[in-house]
Amino acid sequence: MLDIELCGIKMRNPLMLASGILGSYSSSLNRIAENAGAVVTKSVGAEEREGYRNPVLINYGDGFVNAVGLSSPGAEVFSKELKNFRGGCPLIVSLFGSSPEEIAHLTSFFPFADAFEINLSCPHAEKVGLAVGSDPTLVREIVTYVKKSTSKPVFAKLSPNVNDIVEIGKAAEKGGADGVVAINTIRGMSIDILSRKPVLSNISGGVSGEAIKPIALKCVWDLYENLKIPVIGVGGITTWKDVVEFMLAGAEAVQIGSAHFYSYKLFFSLKESLLAYVRKNEPLKEIIGMAHG
Amino acid sequence: MFSVRVKNVTKHSKDTVTVTFNVSFRSFPGQFVMLNLPGHEEIPLSLSSPDSVTVRAVGETTEALVNIQPGELLGIKGPMGRPFSIPNGTALLIAGGIGIAPLIYLHDYIIGRGGEVKILYGVRTSEELINHRRFENIKISTDNGSAGFHGNVIDLLKVEDRPDRYSRIYCCGPEIMLRKLYDFFKENKLLRKVEFALERYMKCGMGVCGSCALENGLMVCSEGPVFNGVELEW
Ligand SMILES: Cc1cc2nc3c(=O)[nH]c(=O)nc-3n(C[C@H](O)[C@H](O)[C@H](O)COP(=O)(O)OP(=O)(O)OC[C@H]3O[C@@H](n4cnc5c(N)ncnc54)[C@H](O)[C@@H]3O)c2cc1C
Ligand SMILES: Cc1cc2nc3c(=O)[nH]c(=O)nc-3n(C[C@H](O)[C@H](O)[C@H](O)COP(=O)(O)O)c2cc1C
């Protein structure tokens, strides 16, 4: 009753693990895959990248500010790690890089992936992420290149830290993206009032969790109105009601990251709650975009 | 996150100190804090009492921490993680090197509640020993024979004691030592009553980034650092 098909990928429910949360090792992905509709790995680049020094994450009332800094072992090492993924659900590999050629080359390392997500949106990594994701021409070119490199579906993950997210979404669509994922974290920071210094080693980072939900919802709403390809909603989703809200706004599926802070059995309990919801209402796929007149 | 001030620094050897804070945390033995030394990194450290950590200098941040002065500010997240369970009979504590840190807290906690504890404490040389005279029921081993039993702590365990006599066994130390103890207790069908405090490279310390995942998918920061023997697949 919860099953969906996203760009040809069959999923048992619309709940996906967001990139960068519990996604660096097959062991944790296997665990989440027991109940998720799909899992997205931590973003990976061509070369090994250290990421920022600790502290890289701070929690506050309504979420987190993080500046992990796209730490990654590099595509070759990561592809070996992902061979231990047992296939409990579809596996989506998240990619980052600084040029169309560089990102497109990465897909060849992951022939076993069910789809790819291009991270065009990390707000706190220099030269990759947002630096490439805020230029519509470059976004279109990146998506075109990546599409040519693989027969698998390709999703573009968008940033809210741009003037007009719809413009970037359209550029991805023109490049041939099979779907867009919105949103990545929103630029933010935190200062310790005793030491009078920024808390994160990188000074600023990206805000995630419940605080950003209304912003993410509006982005999903706008993208749904203006694009033809599927929108995958992410940002602050914590309860089954949030899932329903995002689907009403137009999301075909949702991704969840920060809320795993509360429980690693999150997907199990959301799935059970959504089952109770669909028993009294229509199947989930029928409510997509229903809030639009 | 919040800040505390350093109240006291006690030097044990040239590279190991206990840093005491001006506040005491509501905590249990086995729990750790993410400690941020401004200008350096934020690192995980086990509590060695409700208001202290015991650190050995192995790299940049720990080096700086060993030389910290009273009055300085430290950022703290925590205490976090799953603590040791409390025994209902005599406890055996097995420490290797700086692995003694969380076991000092556990020892004092059990003694403070009228329980009985025996400690086996292995180090490479006698210079590494931390405050061992404060423990009543302790046996020491050194790799070079400079104090106590000549050999490692596992050989000491084999000659010294019958582990099945204890209601619970707690181990903390380098991973090679923990894995050897694991094999030993598995052979002797005692894993069920053994707890291991593990270390993994940690980034967020809050269970979301996934850097400290074990081979079986359990997260050391949020589901450990203490694991029962039967939870590990070594
Ligand atoms: C739950 C837990 C409890 C710990 N308790 C204690 C303790 O009570 N006393 C103590 O002296 N040490 C303890 N450690 C180890 C301590 O965290 C590391 O020694 C410290 O992080 C090294 O930092 P550095 O900058 O000095 O060294 P670096 O120069 O960064 O590295 C030196 C060594 O430390 C390891 N290391 C570096 N960063 C981390 C990290 N974030 N997490 C784990 N290992 C790391 C490296 O792999 C390397 O082998 C504990 C670790 C964990 C995970
Ligand atoms: C610790 C952390 C690491 C993240 N790493 C990545 C990453 O590598 N790639 C990426 O596309 N997004 C990354 N994100 C963003 C999330 O995938 C997600 O878009 C964002 O956190 C909003 O969703 P949430 O509120 O459910 O967490 C990260 C977020 C967090 C908190």
PDB file of all heavy atoms in Angstrom, chain B residues 48-49 103-113 134-135:
ATOM      1  N   SER B  48      36.735   9.710  33.604  1.00  0.00           N
ATOM      2  CA  SER B  48      37.419   8.848  34.564  1.00  0.00           C
ATOM      3  C   SER B  48      36.860   9.077  35.966  1.00  0.00           C
ATOM      4  O   SER B  48      37.247   8.411  36.917  1.00  0.00           O
ATOM      5  CB  SER B  48      38.933   9.076  34.525  1.00  0.00           C
ATOM      6  OG  SER B  48      39.248  10.430  34.757  1.00  0.00           O
ATOM      7  N   SER B  49      35.932  10.033  36.082  1.00  0.00           N
ATOM      8  CA  SER B  49      35.132  10.266  37.281  1.00  0.00           C
ATOM      9  C   SER B  49      34.045  11.229  36.811  1.00  0.00           C
ATOM     10  O   SER B  49      34.113  11.702  35.676  1.00  0.00           O
ATOM     11  CB  SER B  49      35.973  10.889  38.405  1.00  0.00           C
ATOM     12  OG  SER B  49      36.182  12.271  38.148  1.00  0.00           O
ATOM     13  N   LEU B 103      37.671   2.732  33.468  1.00  0.00           N
ATOM     14  CA  LEU B 103      37.580   1.706  34.511  1.00  0.00           C
ATOM     15  C   LEU B 103      37.879   2.279  35.892  1.00  0.00           C
ATOM     16  O   LEU B 103      37.457   1.726  36.902  1.00  0.00           O
ATOM     17  CB  LEU B 103      38.506   0.533  34.169  1.00  0.00           C
ATOM     18  CG  LEU B 103      38.133  -0.205  32.865  1.00  0.00           C
ATOM     19  CD1 LEU B 103      39.110  -1.344  32.589  1.00  0.00           C
ATOM     20  CD2 LEU B 103      36.707  -0.742  32.909  1.00  0.00           C
ATOM     21  N   ILE B 104      38.598   3.425  35.935  1.00  0.00           N
ATOM     22  CA  ILE B 104      38.806   4.108  37.230  1.00  0.00           C
ATOM     23  C   ILE B 104      37.443   4.537  37.767  1.00  0.00           C
ATOM     24  O   ILE B 104      37.099   4.320  38.933  1.00  0.00           O
ATOM     25  CB  ILE B 104      39.701   5.366  37.066  1.00  0.00           C
ATOM     26  CG1 ILE B 104      41.092   4.978  36.539  1.00  0.00           C
ATOM     27  CG2 ILE B 104      39.816   6.128  38.387  1.00  0.00           C
ATOM     28  CD1 ILE B 104      41.984   6.181  36.201  1.00  0.00           C
ATOM     29  N   TYR B 105      36.638   5.133  36.871  1.00  0.00           N
ATOM     30  CA  TYR B 105      35.293   5.587  37.254  1.00  0.00           C
ATOM     31  C   TYR B 105      34.441   4.393  37.681  1.00  0.00           C
ATOM     32  O   TYR B 105      33.773   4.409  38.725  1.00  0.00           O
ATOM     33  CB  TYR B 105      34.672   6.322  36.054  1.00  0.00           C
ATOM     34  CG  TYR B 105      33.367   7.058  36.292  1.00  0.00           C
ATOM     35  CD1 TYR B 105      32.770   7.772  35.255  1.00  0.00           C
ATOM     36  CD2 TYR B 105      32.726   7.051  37.535  1.00  0.00           C
ATOM     37  CE1 TYR B 105      31.579   8.460  35.433  1.00  0.00           C
ATOM     38  CE2 TYR B 105      31.523   7.736  37.720  1.00  0.00           C
ATOM     39  CZ  TYR B 105      30.950   8.431  36.671  1.00  0.00           C
ATOM     40  OH  TYR B 105      29.769   9.097  36.844  1.00  0.00           O
ATOM     41  N   LEU B 106      34.481   3.318  36.868  1.00  0.00           N
ATOM     42  CA  LEU B 106      33.671   2.130  37.192  1.00  0.00           C
ATOM     43  C   LEU B 106      34.081   1.552  38.541  1.00  0.00           C
ATOM     44  O   LEU B 106      33.230   1.205  39.369  1.00  0.00           O
ATOM     45  CB  LEU B 106      33.815   1.080  36.083  1.00  0.00           C
ATOM     46  CG  LEU B 106      33.006  -0.205  36.292  1.00  0.00           C
ATOM     47  CD1 LEU B 106      31.498   0.083  36.286  1.00  0.00           C
ATOM     48  CD2 LEU B 106      33.340  -1.251  35.222  1.00  0.00           C
ATOM     49  N   HIS B 107      35.404   1.462  38.776  1.00  0.00           N
ATOM     50  CA  HIS B 107      35.922   0.941  40.041  1.00  0.00           C
ATOM     51  C   HIS B 107      35.358   1.746  41.216  1.00  0.00           C
ATOM     52  O   HIS B 107      34.782   1.203  42.158  1.00  0.00           O
ATOM     53  CB  HIS B 107      37.457   1.004  40.031  1.00  0.00           C
ATOM     54  CG  HIS B 107      38.087   0.769  41.371  1.00  0.00           C
ATOM     55  ND1 HIS B 107      38.316   1.794  42.272  1.00  0.00           N
ATOM     56  CD2 HIS B 107      38.513  -0.369  41.973  1.00  0.00           C
ATOM     57  CE1 HIS B 107      38.852   1.294  43.362  1.00  0.00           C
ATOM     58  NE2 HIS B 107      38.994  -0.016  43.210  1.00  0.00           N
ATOM     59  N   ASP B 108      35.505   3.078  41.142  1.00  0.00           N
ATOM     60  CA  ASP B 108      35.077   3.925  42.259  1.00  0.00           C
ATOM     61  C   ASP B 108      33.561   3.839  42.459  1.00  0.00           C
ATOM     62  O   ASP B 108      33.064   3.893  43.583  1.00  0.00           O
ATOM     63  CB  ASP B 108      35.484   5.384  42.006  1.00  0.00           C
ATOM     64  CG  ASP B 108      37.003   5.531  41.969  1.00  0.00           C
ATOM     65  OD1 ASP B 108      37.706   4.545  42.277  1.00  0.00           O
ATOM     66  OD2 ASP B 108      37.483   6.632  41.620  1.00  0.00           O
ATOM     67  N   TYR B 109      32.857   3.708  41.349  1.00  0.00           N
ATOM     68  CA  TYR B 109      31.389   3.638  41.401  1.00  0.00           C
ATOM     69  C   TYR B 109      30.943   2.369  42.141  1.00  0.00           C
ATOM     70  O   TYR B 109      30.079   2.405  43.013  1.00  0.00           O
ATOM     71  CB  TYR B 109      30.852   3.631  39.960  1.00  0.00           C
ATOM     72  CG  TYR B 109      29.364   3.818  39.832  1.00  0.00           C
ATOM     73  CD1 TYR B 109      28.806   5.086  39.650  1.00  0.00           C
ATOM     74  CD2 TYR B 109      28.504   2.719  39.856  1.00  0.00           C
ATOM     75  CE1 TYR B 109      27.445   5.263  39.504  1.00  0.00           C
ATOM     76  CE2 TYR B 109      27.140   2.894  39.712  1.00  0.00           C
ATOM     77  CZ  TYR B 109      26.609   4.158  39.531  1.00  0.00           C
ATOM     78  OH  TYR B 109      25.263   4.318  39.389  1.00  0.00           O
ATOM     79  N   ILE B 110      31.574   1.247  41.776  1.00  0.00           N
ATOM     80  CA  ILE B 110      31.182  -0.026  42.404  1.00  0.00           C
ATOM     81  C   ILE B 110      31.595  -0.049  43.878  1.00  0.00           C
ATOM     82  O   ILE B 110      30.799  -0.406  44.756  1.00  0.00           O
ATOM     83  CB  ILE B 110      31.814  -1.226  41.653  1.00  0.00           C
ATOM     84  CG1 ILE B 110      31.291  -1.267  40.212  1.00  0.00           C
ATOM     85  CG2 ILE B 110      31.513  -2.530  42.377  1.00  0.00           C
ATOM     86  CD1 ILE B 110      31.983  -2.301  39.335  1.00  0.00           C
ATOM     87  N   ILE B 111      32.831   0.380  44.170  1.00  0.00           N
ATOM     88  CA  ILE B 111      33.306   0.407  45.560  1.00  0.00           C
ATOM     89  C   ILE B 111      32.424   1.328  46.405  1.00  0.00           C
ATOM     90  O   ILE B 111      32.044   1.003  47.528  1.00  0.00           O
ATOM     91  CB  ILE B 111      34.785   0.887  45.627  1.00  0.00           C
ATOM     92  CG1 ILE B 111      35.707  -0.106  44.898  1.00  0.00           C
ATOM     93  CG2 ILE B 111      35.237   1.118  47.062  1.00  0.00           C
ATOM     94  CD1 ILE B 111      35.861  -1.455  45.552  1.00  0.00           C
ATOM     95  N   GLY B 112      32.049   2.473  45.827  1.00  0.00           N
ATOM     96  CA  GLY B 112      31.206   3.438  46.538  1.00  0.00           C
ATOM     97  C   GLY B 112      29.846   2.869  46.903  1.00  0.00           C
ATOM     98  O   GLY B 112      29.153   3.385  47.785  1.00  0.00           O
ATOM     99  N   ARG B 113      29.430   1.827  46.207  1.00  0.00           N
ATOM    100  CA  ARG B 113      28.149   1.194  46.502  1.00  0.00           C
ATOM    101  C   ARG B 113      28.314  -0.132  47.225  1.00  0.00           C
ATOM    102  O   ARG B 113      27.420  -0.977  47.230  1.00  0.00           O
ATOM    103  CB  ARG B 113      27.369   1.006  45.204  1.00  0.00           C
ATOM    104  CG  ARG B 113      26.684   2.280  44.803  1.00  0.00           C
ATOM    105  CD  ARG B 113      26.380   2.374  43.323  1.00  0.00           C
ATOM    106  NE  ARG B 113      25.852   3.725  43.032  1.00  0.00           N
ATOM    107  CZ  ARG B 113      26.604   4.808  42.967  1.00  0.00           C
ATOM    108  NH1 ARG B 113      27.902   4.733  43.176  1.00  0.00           N
ATOM    109  NH2 ARG B 113      26.052   5.984  42.722  1.00  0.00           N
ATOM    110  N   ARG B 134      46.212   3.387  44.189  1.00  0.00           N
ATOM    111  CA  ARG B 134      44.919   3.720  44.799  1.00  0.00           C
ATOM    112  C   ARG B 134      43.970   2.531  44.791  1.00  0.00           C
ATOM    113  O   ARG B 134      42.953   2.529  45.485  1.00  0.00           O
ATOM    114  CB  ARG B 134      44.285   4.930  44.090  1.00  0.00           C
ATOM    115  CG  ARG B 134      43.690   4.636  42.741  1.00  0.00           C
ATOM    116  CD  ARG B 134      43.469   5.886  41.932  1.00  0.00           C
ATOM    117  NE  ARG B 134      42.312   6.684  42.297  1.00  0.00           N
ATOM    118  CZ  ARG B 134      41.071   6.375  41.988  1.00  0.00           C
ATOM    119  NH1 ARG B 134      40.789   5.274  41.339  1.00  0.00           N
ATOM    120  NH2 ARG B 134      40.089   7.193  42.330  1.00  0.00           N
ATOM    121  N   PHE B 135      44.253   1.510  44.000  1.00  0.00           N
ATOM    122  CA  PHE B 135      43.361   0.355  43.941  1.00  0.00           C
ATOM    123  C   PHE B 135      43.821  -0.715  44.917  1.00  0.00           C
ATOM    124  O   PHE B 135      45.000  -1.036  44.988  1.00  0.00           O
ATOM    125  CB  PHE B 135      43.350  -0.234  42.527  1.00  0.00           C
ATOM    126  CG  PHE B 135      43.030   0.772  41.459  1.00  0.00           C
ATOM    127  CD1 PHE B 135      43.989   1.155  40.530  1.00  0.00           C
ATOM    128  CD2 PHE B 135      41.765   1.344  41.396  1.00  0.00           C
ATOM    129  CE1 PHE B 135      43.700   2.076  39.546  1.00  0.00           C
ATOM    130  CE2 PHE B 135      41.469   2.274  40.412  1.00  0.00           C
ATOM    131  CZ  PHE B 135      42.437   2.646  39.487  1.00  0.00           C
TER     132      PHE B 135
END
